[in-house]
Amino acid sequence: MKDLVQRAERLRADFPLLHQRHPSGSPLIYLDNAATTHKPRAVLQTLERFYTTTNANIHRGLHWLSQEATRLYEEAREVVAQFLQAASPQEIVFVKGTTEGINLIAHGLRQVHFQPGDELLLTAAEHHANIVPWHLIARDIPVRLRPAPLRSDGGLDWEAFQQQITPRTRLIAITAMSNALGTEMPVSAIGALARQRDIPFLVDAAQFAPHKPINVQEWCADFVVFSGHKLYGPTGIGVVYMRHPWGETLPPYQGGGDMIVEVRWDSSTYAKPPQKFEAGTPPIAEAIALAESIRYLTQKVGWDFIQAYEQYLTDYAQARIEEVPGLQLFGTARPKGAIWSFYSEAVHPHDMATFLDQAGIAARAGHHCAQPLMEALQVPATTRASLAFYNLPSEIDSLAQSLHQIVHFFV
Amino acid sequence: MKDLVQRAERLRADFPLLHQRHPSGSPLIYLDNAATTHKPRAVLQTLERFYTTTNANIHRGLHWLSQEATRLYEEAREVVAQFLQAASPQEIVFVKGTTEGINLIAHGLRQVHFQPGDELLLTAAEHHANIVPWHLIARDIPVRLRPAPLRSDGGLDWEAFQQQITPRTRLIAITAMSNALGTEMPVSAIGALARQRDIPFLVDAAQFAPHKPINVQEWCADFVVFSGHKLYGPTGIGVVYMRHPWGETLPPYQGGGDMIVEVRWDSSTYAKPPQKFEAGTPPIAEAIALAESIRYLTQKVGWDFIQAYEQYLTDYAQARIEEVPGLQLFGTARPKGAIWSFYSEAVHPHDMATFLDQAGIAARAGHHCAQPLMEALQVPATTRASLAFYNLPSEIDSLAQSLHQIVHFFV
Amino acid sequence: MNTQLKQLYQEIILDHNRYPRNYGRLENPTHQARGHNPLCGDQIELTLQIRDNVIEDIRFEGKSCSICKASASVMTTVVKGTSLEEAETLFEAFHELLTHEEPTKVSSLAAEWRDKLSVFSTVRLFPVRVKCATLPWHTLHNALKNSTQVASTE
Amino acid sequence: MNTQLKQLYQEIILDHNRYPRNYGRLENPTHQARGHNPLCGDQIELTLQIRDNVIEDIRFEGKSCSICKASASVMTTVVKGTSLEEAETLFEAFHELLTHEEPTKVSSLAAEWRDKLSVFSTVRLFPVRVKCATLPWHTLHNALKNSTQVASTE
Ligand SMILES: Cc1ncc(COP(=O)(O)O)c(C=O)c1O
Ligand SMILES: Cc1ncc(COP(=O)(O)O)c(C=O)c1O
């Protein structure tokens, strides 16, 4: 354990933001990593280097800078393809983030896949990003969302899930890891089931991606989406993996430059994927910096360390939070990521977050963009501590200590 | 003149990239500013500062960092509102870029505005970003694009434009400045006409924004879009101005977190504009850095200087390019921005760009995402030199000299 | 626990949070409204008995944080018995107190009201909590307009 | 003008650009195809007369840059009279020449063909121009499959 903690302490040096102080004077303790993560120096340097040495628009230029920028951008696509174990970089589309990614897929499926009355099977733990896009397309093609329930420990109720598959189920779309609870879904099992029945399978990996390695082949996934900013990369960038030949099947999402073959006044023809889905100037610097964050994560930090250490942190946090009187802890099912949601009848999460903030602790209180889940848990909101490999057991001690004080204050 | 040039020389110090050398050893001469611009140090420092001191997700957090990030993000919205002379920051929506902006508007108008057979009036100089989105919605609601012709000097044929307005014209959507020719369109005149007839009016200001100040009130514009990366800001960010009450009228574009009021499994209700149109984590750092690029442009550089100096550069470039034998110059109509497109029967633009590149000159050859315009000009492509306030007359001399050599070589 | 936090969570706020006044629902309200802060989940419902332009009775119910609950509780004690115009004046004074750097309206209120409302002046130093404190008042505002709309502080 | 550029635009390429061989259209082609590089606007159209598995005649037409035009011109002189299999071999050798760091196929070609194709070996040093040189060959490839598809090097 000591080795792991020391390693984490050394890695913190890569993250300038972590060394700040809260205006109250306390050292900053950042436990809101599920909302967004901080950026290692390597990523910031990549941004800086791109803008000061290679900045140019891509694909359309014959000149040196444009060629260099294009090369780096397409290299980033290869890095992402490898990160996901995709069969080809052509299956990788750069978007703004997870939310845009799911909207892009929903828009496409509306046009070529769904019939009125079709059903989507989801889990009760979905983020709004995997709910609202389907409501939006339902205005054109009425489709119905069927959420599979969770067990009381926050794990998926596997029996119930299977029973919710009907002949009308035309998409299974699930989060790989609940952003509110941290619990992991049995993605590969669901994928096998989906493939067996020829149902397209979408995985929202926004929370999973920073915690565990992804293999889209093992998952049998047709679509996988995640966001750069939650993976130690910049804002403004995300990824859609589209298994071949979905890229051919889906119509383009946005129209504009770079996604066309020929444009006439009365019609256009469209490029092959992935260009087909990348209309206009994409987030170039962001894609290149995302590749660097993936390199940093997989090469410098390493999955072995991340998984071992985060497992330790998760257990440690559970033990310390459970000691706080009157706190209800959600999502104890394993496997799970380093995210804990808790609730006290005596202290509203909003009050709790204010108290934590004044102690320098950045935690999140609210519905975590998962209102239906909150309803299922029968709480108005929870307080959530979400960890990264740069968090320390001593920070969890501070959290626990503050929680004790707050509960004591209110009771 | 000398004063202006000296000022430009001093401002170049703010742009690290400009001081590079091309691999051939020549100093880099960047004349591809219509594709994308370089970033002043102030903008890069803002990105760096955000990521190292304030990085957090916005709107949803009670903790200090999140409050600070939210404040900066909303301040950026105010800066943009002021930049455009918008009535309120609520009229400003952050998107990925111009292309996404027009797609967002097209998507909304498809649902609440267009009827099959409706017409859109455009100019013959539109960028694909203002053509293809309308083709995409035409799959659901057949609408027809009516391009108004240009005069032979590249200016809008005003008589013809007016004649193309019919009772079926349900949108006027024009570029304020042609990205291929640099010519300016009579935006305010068109806006007045549109308002008179109650036709919504969309202005693509992607090229206009870096060259001249915008006043959405004078333009009588309902929608204005532009991209950060062409305005000395980062990639991955753009702006949609939506005149009140269009933000209320248009349905949301993408669904997800932060754009909702309440989410249930069977339906959602949506937030007020602009949040309604900003689903998921927006490009936070990018929006904040865009505000800095606007501050840099309007406060440090200043519109007076930009307009005077770019006018000088435009004239200077015209004179020097006209001296090259056999070059046809497009878009001589005034007023115009600092963009020149030219063509030689003897030298294909592709060959020309390769020669220029080897001389360290970054110019663009191609259709400039304006294939219909190329067809109207009866050329397969052009070579384009697009200038910024950091370009120098000596760079134009180098361009002219290279052009002489190239033409000589091929003839 | 720092001083600001102590000022925010003073005894009187904690007291109203633990023992909210006028909690519950009126049987046959003449006016009612629901308020909702979707960002944090605060929800409140007001039922009122208004006769001859006077708020004769008022109750609140709902799930909310302590600031919101205390604010609702204090509000009910303040507005019970006032005319609709007075309630509107109180609403404005309270709103100003929480959003202006140098509020003036609250000082021209009757002493009893002023003292009760002033308890919330520290909330201004916690900008993200301002909406918690104002939600009950926005909801009241809607109820008085007999608006069926859900008040939202977003 | 630097050396690389001189190698790219050697006299023989300029010559084929100025005086393209087999330029025009055949009246009654047995095979034909159009090629298009949407990025730069290069367009070319091939018409062929194929009998008994042999390319008896071939013409090209179109608007394109000098590299593309010269490549088309050289291609027509090379493939005229070859069998379809030989043409395919030439296509592969040419493609490899422009895309591999150490091409081997071209050296096993007959000397006359090898020399003609090798003129384009410098194009590999200008990655964005590779598509210009290969477009005619991709178009030929399509024509031989009697494909009606428009070849695209994008
Ligand atoms: C006039 C015009 N409109 C739209 C665009 C598209 O902008 P972006 O690629 O940033 O979306 C451009 C730039 O390419 C442009 O010049
Ligand atoms: C599981 C999950 N899905 C989707 C999202 C949306 O991601 P973004 O806001 O980056 O689009 C998030 C994060 O908020 C998430 O946790």
Side-chain angles (χ1 to χ4, degrees), chain A residues 20 32 53 60 62-64 103 135 235 255 263 268 286 350 357 364 371, chain B residues 20 32 53 60 62-63 103 135 235 255 263 268 286 350 357 364 371:
Chain A
Q20 297 214 100
D32 196 17
T53 68
R60 292 170 247 163
L62 288 165
H63 59 78
W64 167 61
N103 280 276
H135 290 165
T235 53
V263 174
S268 338
E286 289 84 349
H350 232 155
D357 179 50
R364 193 152 290 237
Q371 287 182 357
Chain B
Q20 296 215 98
D32 196 16
T53 68
R60 291 171 247 162
L62 289 165
H63 60 77
N103 279 277
H135 289 164
T235 54
V263 174
S268 337
E286 290 84 350
H350 232 156
D357 179 50
R364 192 151 292 234
Q371 288 182 357

mmCIF file of all heavy atoms in Angstrom, chain A residues 20 32 53 60 62-64 103 135 235 255 263 268 286 350 357 364 371, chain B residues 20 32 53 60 62-63 103 135 235 255 263 268 286 350 357 364 371:
data_model
loop_
_atom_site.group_PDB
_atom_site.id
_atom_site.type_symbol
_atom_site.label_atom_id
_atom_site.label_comp_id
_atom_site.label_asym_id
_atom_site.label_seq_id
_atom_site.Cartn_x
_atom_site.Cartn_y
_atom_site.Cartn_z
ATOM 1 N N GLN A 20 -3.019 23.979 -5.155
ATOM 2 C CA GLN A 20 -3.623 25.247 -4.758
ATOM 3 C C GLN A 20 -4.172 25.191 -3.353
ATOM 4 O O GLN A 20 -4.397 24.119 -2.795
ATOM 5 C CB GLN A 20 -4.807 25.514 -5.668
ATOM 6 C CG GLN A 20 -4.427 25.669 -7.078
ATOM 7 C CD GLN A 20 -5.355 26.677 -7.661
ATOM 8 O OE1 GLN A 20 -4.991 27.826 -7.795
ATOM 9 N NE2 GLN A 20 -6.552 26.258 -7.939
ATOM 10 N N ASP A 32 -14.018 15.763 -6.954
ATOM 11 C CA ASP A 32 -15.115 15.911 -7.914
ATOM 12 C C ASP A 32 -14.657 15.439 -9.293
ATOM 13 O O ASP A 32 -14.980 16.041 -10.324
ATOM 14 C CB ASP A 32 -15.566 17.380 -7.949
ATOM 15 C CG ASP A 32 -16.918 17.541 -8.620
ATOM 16 O OD1 ASP A 32 -17.638 16.529 -8.768
ATOM 17 O OD2 ASP A 32 -17.254 18.673 -9.009
ATOM 18 N N THR A 53 3.620 25.906 -32.428
ATOM 19 C CA THR A 53 4.497 25.381 -33.496
ATOM 20 C C THR A 53 3.756 24.757 -34.673
ATOM 21 O O THR A 53 4.319 24.666 -35.754
ATOM 22 C CB THR A 53 5.456 24.288 -32.959
ATOM 23 O OG1 THR A 53 4.685 23.130 -32.606
ATOM 24 C CG2 THR A 53 6.246 24.766 -31.764
ATOM 25 N N ARG A 60 -7.403 20.339 -45.462
ATOM 26 C CA ARG A 60 -7.631 21.084 -46.681
ATOM 27 C C ARG A 60 -6.380 21.803 -47.168
ATOM 28 O O ARG A 60 -6.417 22.501 -48.149
ATOM 29 C CB ARG A 60 -8.757 22.094 -46.473
ATOM 30 C CG ARG A 60 -10.089 21.417 -46.277
ATOM 31 C CD ARG A 60 -11.138 22.433 -45.838
ATOM 32 N NE ARG A 60 -11.592 22.198 -44.480
ATOM 33 C CZ ARG A 60 -12.235 23.089 -43.744
ATOM 34 N NH1 ARG A 60 -12.478 24.282 -44.213
ATOM 35 N NH2 ARG A 60 -12.624 22.782 -42.532
ATOM 36 N N LEU A 62 -2.296 22.305 -48.392
ATOM 37 C CA LEU A 62 -1.118 21.691 -48.995
ATOM 38 C C LEU A 62 0.139 22.165 -48.315
ATOM 39 O O LEU A 62 1.223 21.690 -48.613
ATOM 40 C CB LEU A 62 -1.036 22.080 -50.474
ATOM 41 C CG LEU A 62 -2.062 21.441 -51.401
ATOM 42 C CD1 LEU A 62 -2.097 22.174 -52.716
ATOM 43 C CD2 LEU A 62 -1.709 19.979 -51.613
ATOM 44 N N HIS A 63 0.028 23.149 -47.465
ATOM 45 C CA HIS A 63 1.252 23.718 -46.913
ATOM 46 C C HIS A 63 1.707 22.956 -45.675
ATOM 47 O O HIS A 63 0.955 22.213 -45.051
ATOM 48 C CB HIS A 63 1.109 25.217 -46.664
ATOM 49 C CG HIS A 63 0.005 25.604 -45.717
ATOM 50 N ND1 HIS A 63 0.131 25.489 -44.364
ATOM 51 C CD2 HIS A 63 -1.234 26.100 -45.942
ATOM 52 C CE1 HIS A 63 -0.973 25.920 -43.784
ATOM 53 N NE2 HIS A 63 -1.822 26.290 -44.717
ATOM 54 N N TRP A 64 2.955 23.175 -45.364
ATOM 55 C CA TRP A 64 3.635 22.421 -44.310
ATOM 56 C C TRP A 64 2.865 22.370 -42.996
ATOM 57 O O TRP A 64 2.603 21.286 -42.444
ATOM 58 C CB TRP A 64 5.028 23.037 -44.127
ATOM 59 C CG TRP A 64 5.743 22.609 -42.895
ATOM 60 C CD1 TRP A 64 6.114 21.339 -42.566
ATOM 61 C CD2 TRP A 64 6.167 23.452 -41.817
ATOM 62 N NE1 TRP A 64 6.753 21.329 -41.358
ATOM 63 C CE2 TRP A 64 6.801 22.617 -40.879
ATOM 64 C CE3 TRP A 64 6.090 24.819 -41.568
ATOM 65 C CZ2 TRP A 64 7.347 23.125 -39.699
ATOM 66 C CZ3 TRP A 64 6.635 25.321 -40.402
ATOM 67 C CH2 TRP A 64 7.248 24.474 -39.484
ATOM 68 N N ASN A 103 -25.990 12.108 -28.947
ATOM 69 C CA ASN A 103 -26.934 12.798 -29.836
ATOM 70 C C ASN A 103 -26.676 12.464 -31.298
ATOM 71 O O ASN A 103 -27.610 12.295 -32.081
ATOM 72 C CB ASN A 103 -26.862 14.308 -29.615
ATOM 73 C CG ASN A 103 -27.657 14.754 -28.391
ATOM 74 O OD1 ASN A 103 -28.862 14.962 -28.479
ATOM 75 N ND2 ASN A 103 -26.994 14.859 -27.246
ATOM 76 N N HIS A 135 -35.341 11.211 -25.906
ATOM 77 C CA HIS A 135 -36.577 11.990 -25.869
ATOM 78 C C HIS A 135 -36.659 12.914 -27.077
ATOM 79 O O HIS A 135 -37.728 13.107 -27.649
ATOM 80 C CB HIS A 135 -36.645 12.829 -24.594
ATOM 81 C CG HIS A 135 -36.852 12.020 -23.356
ATOM 82 N ND1 HIS A 135 -36.647 12.515 -22.100
ATOM 83 C CD2 HIS A 135 -37.260 10.736 -23.176
ATOM 84 C CE1 HIS A 135 -36.913 11.588 -21.196
ATOM 85 N NE2 HIS A 135 -37.282 10.500 -21.826
ATOM 86 N N THR A 235 -11.231 20.183 -22.201
ATOM 87 C CA THR A 235 -12.661 20.284 -22.506
ATOM 88 C C THR A 235 -12.819 20.371 -24.027
ATOM 89 O O THR A 235 -11.858 20.514 -24.760
ATOM 90 C CB THR A 235 -13.276 21.544 -21.854
ATOM 91 O OG1 THR A 235 -12.518 22.696 -22.229
ATOM 92 C CG2 THR A 235 -13.286 21.423 -20.354
ATOM 93 N N GLY A 255 -23.827 19.106 -41.222
ATOM 94 C CA GLY A 255 -23.356 19.367 -42.579
ATOM 95 C C GLY A 255 -22.382 20.522 -42.600
ATOM 96 O O GLY A 255 -22.479 21.425 -41.779
ATOM 97 N N VAL A 263 -20.598 19.290 -53.486
ATOM 98 C CA VAL A 263 -21.725 20.116 -53.064
ATOM 99 C C VAL A 263 -22.262 20.872 -54.265
ATOM 100 O O VAL A 263 -21.507 21.558 -54.965
ATOM 101 C CB VAL A 263 -21.294 21.124 -51.972
ATOM 102 C CG1 VAL A 263 -22.444 22.074 -51.639
ATOM 103 C CG2 VAL A 263 -20.832 20.393 -50.729
ATOM 104 N N SER A 268 -25.915 17.335 -51.941
ATOM 105 C CA SER A 268 -24.499 17.086 -51.681
ATOM 106 C C SER A 268 -24.293 15.584 -51.578
ATOM 107 O O SER A 268 -25.224 14.837 -51.299
ATOM 108 C CB SER A 268 -24.037 17.706 -50.367
ATOM 109 O OG SER A 268 -24.859 18.748 -49.939
ATOM 110 N N GLU A 286 -7.586 20.085 -29.286
ATOM 111 C CA GLU A 286 -8.158 19.265 -28.228
ATOM 112 C C GLU A 286 -7.961 17.775 -28.524
ATOM 113 O O GLU A 286 -7.662 16.985 -27.618
ATOM 114 C CB GLU A 286 -9.645 19.578 -28.068
ATOM 115 C CG GLU A 286 -9.948 20.954 -27.455
ATOM 116 C CD GLU A 286 -9.942 22.098 -28.461
ATOM 117 O OE1 GLU A 286 -9.497 21.904 -29.618
ATOM 118 O OE2 GLU A 286 -10.384 23.201 -28.089
ATOM 119 N N HIS A 350 -26.985 19.709 -0.043
ATOM 120 C CA HIS A 350 -26.585 21.072 -0.346
ATOM 121 C C HIS A 350 -25.835 21.718 0.810
ATOM 122 O O HIS A 350 -24.822 22.387 0.630
ATOM 123 C CB HIS A 350 -27.850 21.884 -0.636
ATOM 124 C CG HIS A 350 -27.762 22.605 -1.919
ATOM 125 N ND1 HIS A 350 -28.847 22.989 -2.654
ATOM 126 C CD2 HIS A 350 -26.705 23.011 -2.628
ATOM 127 C CE1 HIS A 350 -28.462 23.601 -3.721
ATOM 128 N NE2 HIS A 350 -27.169 23.619 -3.739
ATOM 129 N N ASP A 357 -17.050 22.450 1.278
ATOM 130 C CA ASP A 357 -16.326 23.462 0.519
ATOM 131 C C ASP A 357 -15.531 24.367 1.444
ATOM 132 O O ASP A 357 -14.375 24.698 1.177
ATOM 133 C CB ASP A 357 -17.299 24.287 -0.320
ATOM 134 C CG ASP A 357 -16.587 25.369 -1.110
ATOM 135 O OD1 ASP A 357 -15.589 25.031 -1.793
ATOM 136 O OD2 ASP A 357 -16.994 26.542 -1.053
ATOM 137 N N ARG A 364 -19.423 17.046 -4.761
ATOM 138 C CA ARG A 364 -20.592 17.531 -5.489
ATOM 139 C C ARG A 364 -21.863 17.095 -4.795
ATOM 140 O O ARG A 364 -21.973 15.958 -4.350
ATOM 141 C CB ARG A 364 -20.567 17.000 -6.934
ATOM 142 C CG ARG A 364 -21.564 17.700 -7.844
ATOM 143 C CD ARG A 364 -21.107 17.711 -9.278
ATOM 144 N NE ARG A 364 -19.976 18.593 -9.466
ATOM 145 C CZ ARG A 364 -19.959 19.610 -10.338
ATOM 146 N NH1 ARG A 364 -21.013 19.855 -11.096
ATOM 147 N NH2 ARG A 364 -18.889 20.366 -10.467
ATOM 148 N N GLN A 371 -31.589 12.287 -12.534
ATOM 149 C CA GLN A 371 -32.816 12.479 -11.753
ATOM 150 C C GLN A 371 -33.621 11.191 -11.600
ATOM 151 O O GLN A 371 -34.089 10.892 -10.496
ATOM 152 C CB GLN A 371 -33.670 13.594 -12.375
ATOM 153 C CG GLN A 371 -33.079 14.982 -12.151
ATOM 154 C CD GLN A 371 -33.948 16.095 -12.736
ATOM 155 O OE1 GLN A 371 -34.967 15.834 -13.366
ATOM 156 N NE2 GLN A 371 -33.522 17.332 -12.533
ATOM 157 N N GLN B 20 8.587 31.003 -36.514
ATOM 158 C CA GLN B 20 9.154 29.720 -36.923
ATOM 159 C C GLN B 20 9.784 29.801 -38.294
ATOM 160 O O GLN B 20 9.520 30.700 -39.071
ATOM 161 C CB GLN B 20 8.028 28.719 -37.031
ATOM 162 C CG GLN B 20 7.364 28.451 -35.753
ATOM 163 C CD GLN B 20 6.973 27.012 -35.755
ATOM 164 O OE1 GLN B 20 7.663 26.188 -35.194
ATOM 165 N NE2 GLN B 20 5.905 26.710 -36.425
ATOM 166 N N ASP B 32 -2.638 32.026 -44.525
ATOM 167 C CA ASP B 32 -3.811 31.141 -44.567
ATOM 168 C C ASP B 32 -4.738 31.456 -43.396
ATOM 169 O O ASP B 32 -5.312 30.570 -42.762
ATOM 170 C CB ASP B 32 -3.344 29.677 -44.531
ATOM 171 C CG ASP B 32 -4.446 28.716 -44.950
ATOM 172 O OD1 ASP B 32 -5.442 29.173 -45.547
ATOM 173 O OD2 ASP B 32 -4.311 27.507 -44.679
ATOM 174 N N THR B 53 -5.449 26.701 -12.487
ATOM 175 C CA THR B 53 -5.973 27.342 -11.269
ATOM 176 C C THR B 53 -7.480 27.232 -11.081
ATOM 177 O O THR B 53 -7.966 27.341 -9.960
ATOM 178 C CB THR B 53 -5.634 28.857 -11.223
ATOM 179 O OG1 THR B 53 -6.373 29.520 -12.255
ATOM 180 C CG2 THR B 53 -4.160 29.112 -11.415
ATOM 181 N N ARG B 60 -23.014 22.994 -12.120
ATOM 182 C CA ARG B 60 -23.595 21.989 -11.244
ATOM 183 C C ARG B 60 -22.895 21.907 -9.894
ATOM 184 O O ARG B 60 -23.258 21.089 -9.079
ATOM 185 C CB ARG B 60 -23.537 20.630 -11.946
ATOM 186 C CG ARG B 60 -24.469 20.566 -13.125
ATOM 187 C CD ARG B 60 -24.246 19.297 -13.930
ATOM 188 N NE ARG B 60 -23.711 19.577 -15.248
ATOM 189 C CZ ARG B 60 -23.108 18.670 -16.011
ATOM 190 N NH1 ARG B 60 -22.953 17.444 -15.583
ATOM 191 N NH2 ARG B 60 -22.657 18.999 -17.203
ATOM 192 N N LEU B 62 -21.278 23.216 -6.171
ATOM 193 C CA LEU B 62 -21.359 24.179 -5.082
ATOM 194 C C LEU B 62 -19.978 24.556 -4.592
ATOM 195 O O LEU B 62 -19.839 25.460 -3.772
ATOM 196 C CB LEU B 62 -22.120 23.574 -3.908
ATOM 197 C CG LEU B 62 -23.619 23.387 -4.089
ATOM 198 C CD1 LEU B 62 -24.146 22.458 -3.026
ATOM 199 C CD2 LEU B 62 -24.290 24.741 -4.010
ATOM 200 N N HIS B 63 -18.963 23.865 -5.045
ATOM 201 C CA HIS B 63 -17.649 24.129 -4.464
ATOM 202 C C HIS B 63 -16.935 25.269 -5.181
ATOM 203 O O HIS B 63 -17.276 25.644 -6.289
ATOM 204 C CB HIS B 63 -16.815 22.846 -4.402
ATOM 205 C CG HIS B 63 -16.567 22.192 -5.724
ATOM 206 N ND1 HIS B 63 -15.642 22.652 -6.621
ATOM 207 C CD2 HIS B 63 -17.139 21.105 -6.305
ATOM 208 C CE1 HIS B 63 -15.622 21.859 -7.679
ATOM 209 N NE2 HIS B 63 -16.536 20.921 -7.523
ATOM 210 N N ASN B 103 -25.884 24.328 -38.095
ATOM 211 C CA ASN B 103 -26.646 23.086 -37.970
ATOM 212 C C ASN B 103 -27.665 23.171 -36.838
ATOM 213 O O ASN B 103 -28.789 22.679 -36.968
ATOM 214 C CB ASN B 103 -25.699 21.904 -37.743
ATOM 215 C CG ASN B 103 -25.080 21.402 -39.033
ATOM 216 O OD1 ASN B 103 -25.692 20.614 -39.757
ATOM 217 N ND2 ASN B 103 -23.892 21.877 -39.365
ATOM 218 N N HIS B 135 -29.280 21.093 -46.774
ATOM 219 C CA HIS B 135 -29.525 19.827 -47.479
ATOM 220 C C HIS B 135 -29.931 18.743 -46.489
ATOM 221 O O HIS B 135 -30.789 17.915 -46.780
ATOM 222 C CB HIS B 135 -28.274 19.377 -48.235
ATOM 223 C CG HIS B 135 -27.952 20.226 -49.429
ATOM 224 N ND1 HIS B 135 -26.734 20.203 -50.056
ATOM 225 C CD2 HIS B 135 -28.698 21.121 -50.118
ATOM 226 C CE1 HIS B 135 -26.738 21.047 -51.074
ATOM 227 N NE2 HIS B 135 -27.915 21.616 -51.124
ATOM 228 N N THR B 235 -9.345 26.379 -30.982
ATOM 229 C CA THR B 235 -10.269 25.522 -31.722
ATOM 230 C C THR B 235 -11.342 25.032 -30.752
ATOM 231 O O THR B 235 -11.250 25.219 -29.536
ATOM 232 C CB THR B 235 -9.530 24.312 -32.326
ATOM 233 O OG1 THR B 235 -8.813 23.624 -31.287
ATOM 234 C CG2 THR B 235 -8.567 24.733 -33.410
ATOM 235 N N GLY B 255 -29.596 16.820 -26.505
ATOM 236 C CA GLY B 255 -30.137 16.558 -25.183
ATOM 237 C C GLY B 255 -29.052 16.048 -24.257
ATOM 238 O O GLY B 255 -28.112 15.389 -24.698
ATOM 239 N N VAL B 263 -36.114 15.551 -15.714
ATOM 240 C CA VAL B 263 -36.015 14.398 -16.593
ATOM 241 C C VAL B 263 -36.747 13.230 -15.947
ATOM 242 O O VAL B 263 -36.494 12.878 -14.799
ATOM 243 C CB VAL B 263 -34.543 14.008 -16.837
ATOM 244 C CG1 VAL B 263 -34.457 12.719 -17.648
ATOM 245 C CG2 VAL B 263 -33.806 15.128 -17.548
ATOM 246 N N SER B 268 -38.887 14.888 -20.851
ATOM 247 C CA SER B 268 -38.081 15.852 -20.112
ATOM 248 C C SER B 268 -38.653 17.245 -20.362
ATOM 249 O O SER B 268 -39.330 17.479 -21.363
ATOM 250 C CB SER B 268 -36.625 15.866 -20.582
ATOM 251 O OG SER B 268 -36.241 14.682 -21.202
ATOM 252 N N GLU B 286 -12.246 26.712 -23.586
ATOM 253 C CA GLU B 286 -12.249 27.361 -24.894
ATOM 254 C C GLU B 286 -13.085 28.635 -24.887
ATOM 255 O O GLU B 286 -12.700 29.649 -25.487
ATOM 256 C CB GLU B 286 -12.782 26.387 -25.954
ATOM 257 C CG GLU B 286 -11.846 25.224 -26.276
ATOM 258 C CD GLU B 286 -11.954 24.040 -25.315
ATOM 259 O OE1 GLU B 286 -12.618 24.172 -24.259
ATOM 260 O OE2 GLU B 286 -11.374 22.983 -25.610
ATOM 261 N N HIS B 350 -2.954 23.703 -57.346
ATOM 262 C CA HIS B 350 -2.277 22.693 -56.572
ATOM 263 C C HIS B 350 -0.767 22.780 -56.720
ATOM 264 O O HIS B 350 -0.008 22.680 -55.755
ATOM 265 C CB HIS B 350 -2.752 21.322 -57.059
ATOM 266 C CG HIS B 350 -3.220 20.471 -55.945
ATOM 267 N ND1 HIS B 350 -4.095 19.438 -56.100
ATOM 268 C CD2 HIS B 350 -2.922 20.496 -54.636
ATOM 269 C CE1 HIS B 350 -4.311 18.871 -54.958
ATOM 270 N NE2 HIS B 350 -3.622 19.492 -54.054
ATOM 271 N N ASP B 357 4.653 26.675 -50.891
ATOM 272 C CA ASP B 357 5.028 26.011 -49.644
ATOM 273 C C ASP B 357 6.533 25.853 -49.553
ATOM 274 O O ASP B 357 7.139 26.081 -48.504
ATOM 275 C CB ASP B 357 4.349 24.647 -49.540
ATOM 276 C CG ASP B 357 4.740 23.919 -48.258
ATOM 277 O OD1 ASP B 357 4.650 24.544 -47.193
ATOM 278 O OD2 ASP B 357 5.152 22.743 -48.336
ATOM 279 N N ARG B 364 -3.422 28.718 -49.469
ATOM 280 C CA ARG B 364 -4.300 27.577 -49.645
ATOM 281 C C ARG B 364 -4.736 27.468 -51.096
ATOM 282 O O ARG B 364 -5.058 28.464 -51.732
ATOM 283 C CB ARG B 364 -5.531 27.712 -48.744
ATOM 284 C CG ARG B 364 -6.358 26.444 -48.653
ATOM 285 C CD ARG B 364 -7.074 26.339 -47.335
ATOM 286 N NE ARG B 364 -6.133 26.128 -46.245
ATOM 287 C CZ ARG B 364 -6.237 25.110 -45.368
ATOM 288 N NH1 ARG B 364 -7.230 24.237 -45.460
ATOM 289 N NH2 ARG B 364 -5.352 24.969 -44.413
ATOM 290 N N GLN B 371 -17.607 24.986 -53.340
ATOM 291 C CA GLN B 371 -17.646 24.387 -54.680
ATOM 292 C C GLN B 371 -18.623 25.105 -55.615
ATOM 293 O O GLN B 371 -18.273 25.363 -56.771
ATOM 294 C CB GLN B 371 -17.977 22.894 -54.587
ATOM 295 C CG GLN B 371 -16.813 22.068 -54.037
ATOM 296 C CD GLN B 371 -17.133 20.571 -53.991
ATOM 297 O OE1 GLN B 371 -18.229 20.137 -54.306
ATOM 298 N NE2 GLN B 371 -16.147 19.779 -53.581
#
